[in-house]
Amino acid sequence: MPVEFLGIGGTNDGSETHPRSGGVFDKDYTLRLARAHEDFGWDRVLFAYGSSGPDPAQAAAYVASKLDKLQILLAHRPNVSYPTFAAKTFATLDQLSDGRLTVHFITGGSDHEQQREGDYLTKDERYSRTREYIQIVKRAWTSEEPFDHEGEHYRFADFVLDVRPVQQPRPGVSFGGSSPAAYAAGGAEADIFCLWGEPLAQTAEQIESVKAAAKAAGRTDVPRIQVAFRPIIAPTEELAWEKAYRTVDAIKKRTSGGKQLTRRHSLTIPENTGSQRLLAVAAEGERFDRALWTPTAAATGGAGNSNALVGTPETVAQALLDYYDLGVDILSARGYDMLGDTIDFGRHVIPIVREEVAKRDAASAREVLAVDG
């Protein structure tokens, strides 16, 4: 099966290891970073969502208007707009990008972060709303006739889109999470289900949970699986580990005294299951499998995608292939020096993974031919 690589559509050069050097929306840096992804073999970039950050839809539109090939993964929280309006925004962006849009729907794992923008629903209520929201957006994208809707969270009449997506029947839907509610929602509605990097055994269990949820929802297909990591690479293993320990020291220096890294990343006990899982893995040990390293997650309080893969490009590539062999076909990676790491990972890791995947695909094709013959 094909493999894809997802990077980050950052709007400034700040990260967990160092503050940004300029404004929160640095237009020149945003384009430089996106162009580096396009030039060095990445497939798409994520424009993330935060309550106080730049509007990711507009940042994505800016990049899409400047680049020809790079695909867009746009993060969106259902609490910030009505689903009919969102469907129109997404369809317009799909037109602007010539069909390069996928939408990542975020239910929200932190009550505090959600409440910053007036969302006071409980976590279970948010999951219910997200499922209904995705269903409405899908129908709006595909319905040629006006339709009414009366659900638990939304009610409207006689809606139809004049602006239609380029992609047919519709753009892709991405979803993530690690709780039973997340598996149920994403298993039912998502084309892509996103996980944070955990040891191979736990990742395999999560994949089975997603498949079971899809089957329970009556689907005959299953979502594609995406897993996210923070690669730390260097020409030798020794240099890679030196770099890894410098990285954690820099994170700890920034978080000394309980300071937040960003408004989205605090060091309080996380509410969301995904971050709790990352901290639980970190409590079990620092190193797992071929290259997974947990101190980066521990140092950030399990904030988002934070487990590292450490080693030479060959070691990290083989570690990614271990996940590919589990059924993961979208590999998400983001370094701590976003621009430099994007170039290094694209130049040194992506070609190895693509070559090995091509070999696996060719071997599988030969096996099919042998059986059929």
Side-chain angles (χ1 to χ4, degrees):
M1 60 183 176
V3 64
E4 296 182 6
F5 288 90
L6 170 70
I8 186 69
T11 60
N12 60 73
D13 63 356
S15 79
E16 295 92 332
T17 60
H18 57 275
R20 65 178 187 264
S21 61
V24 67
F25 182 45
D26 182 332
K27 189 169 65 172
D28 293 337
Y29 182 85
T30 299
L31 185 56
R32 280 183 69 200
L33 181 61
R35 182 168 283 125
H37 283 89
E38 184 169 90
D39 289 345
F40 287 91
W42 299 74
D43 296 286
R44 60 169 61 88
V45 293
L46 165 67
F47 285 90
Y49 190 94
S51 61
S52 60
D55 178 3
Q58 295 191 55
Y62 170 68
V63 166
S65 70
K66 301 291 185 180
L67 303 179
D68 298 324
K69 297 182 297 182
L70 190 67
Q71 298 178 54
I72 302 297
L73 180 60
L74 175 66
H76 180 77
R77 287 184 186 164
N79 61 291
V80 298
S81 68
Y82 208 75
T84 50
F85 176 84
K88 180 166 46 182
T89 299
F90 304 147
T92 304
L93 183 52
D94 200 51
Q95 286 280 346
L96 190 152
S97 66
D98 295 320
R100 287 180 280 153
L101 176 69
T102 299
V103 182
H104 180 67
F105 291 91
I106 302 173
T107 298
S110 164
D111 289 346
H112 185 202
E113 171 68 6
Q114 295 300 121
Q115 289 166 8
R116 283 171 169 155
E117 294 187 288
D119 184 10
Y120 285 84
L121 295 186
T122 66
K123 184 176 180 180
D124 287 345
E125 290 170 336
R126 292 200 297 267
Y127 273 110
S128 172
R129 177 184 60 193
T130 300
R131 290 185 69 166
E132 185 177 341
Y133 196 99
I134 294 172
Q135 290 164 0
I136 293 169
V137 169
K138 285 180 178 178
R139 188 172 181 187
W141 280 339
T142 57
S143 178
E144 297 181 1
E145 300 295 332
F147 66 96
D148 303 337
H149 178 85
E150 186 165 351
E152 180 181 357
H153 302 279
Y154 302 102
R155 179 185 179 186
F156 56 85
D158 198 40
F159 179 78
V160 67
L161 277 178
D162 288 332
V163 57
R164 310 303 295 276
V166 171
Q167 298 176 77
Q168 292 299 314
R170 57 174 177 78
V173 167
S174 171
F175 190 87
S178 298
S179 67
Y183 300 143
E189 301 296 338
D191 303 301
I192 298 168
F193 197 98
C194 308
L195 303 170
W196 290 330
E198 296 185 13
L200 291 165
Q202 285 93 322
T203 301
E205 291 171 357
Q206 287 191 288
I207 292 173
E208 290 306 311
S209 295
V210 174
K211 290 179 177 179
K215 184 177 180 180
R219 293 178 60 167
T220 56
D221 64 337
V222 296
R224 299 172 65 192
I225 301 297
Q226 172 185 303
V227 177
F229 303 97
R230 306 301 294 270
I232 300 175
I233 62 172
T236 68
E237 295 292 329
E238 181 179 6
L239 289 173
W241 285 104
E242 289 177 2
K243 183 177 178 181
Y245 286 111
R246 287 198 307 272
T247 298
V248 166
D249 287 344
I251 294 172
K252 290 179 178 178
K253 184 177 180 179
R254 288 206 68 201
T255 58
S256 61
K259 292 181 291 187
Q260 289 187 176
L261 296 171
T262 69
R263 289 189 66 82
R264 284 188 296 142
H265 297 149
S266 70
L267 295 182
T268 58
I269 297 174
E271 298 171 22
N272 62 305
T273 303
S275 293
Q276 293 169 7
R277 288 177 64 101
L278 294 185
L279 292 178
V281 171
E284 293 176 11
E286 291 192 354
R287 297 178 66 169
F288 294 84
D289 305 319
R290 194 186 299 265
L292 190 73
W293 195 55
T294 65
T296 46
T300 61
N305 169 24
S306 50
N307 268 340
L309 293 176
V310 182
T312 63
E314 292 78 10
T315 296
V316 170
Q318 291 301 321
L320 292 169
L321 286 162
D322 291 338
Y323 288 89
Y324 175 84
D325 291 338
L326 288 181
V328 177
D329 66 342
I330 303 176
L331 300 169
S332 174
R334 172 165 57 100
Y336 293 95
D337 169 12
M338 286 190 291
L339 182 59
D341 289 342
T342 291
I343 294 169
D344 287 347
F345 188 90
R347 178 179 284 149
H348 300 297
V349 178
I350 289 178
I352 298 174
V353 176
R354 292 202 191 278
E355 182 179 356
E356 290 300 318
V357 166
K359 290 178 182 178
R360 285 163 164 75
D361 289 347
S364 296
R366 288 193 297 269
E367 290 176 7
V368 170
L369 287 173
V371 171
D372 291 343

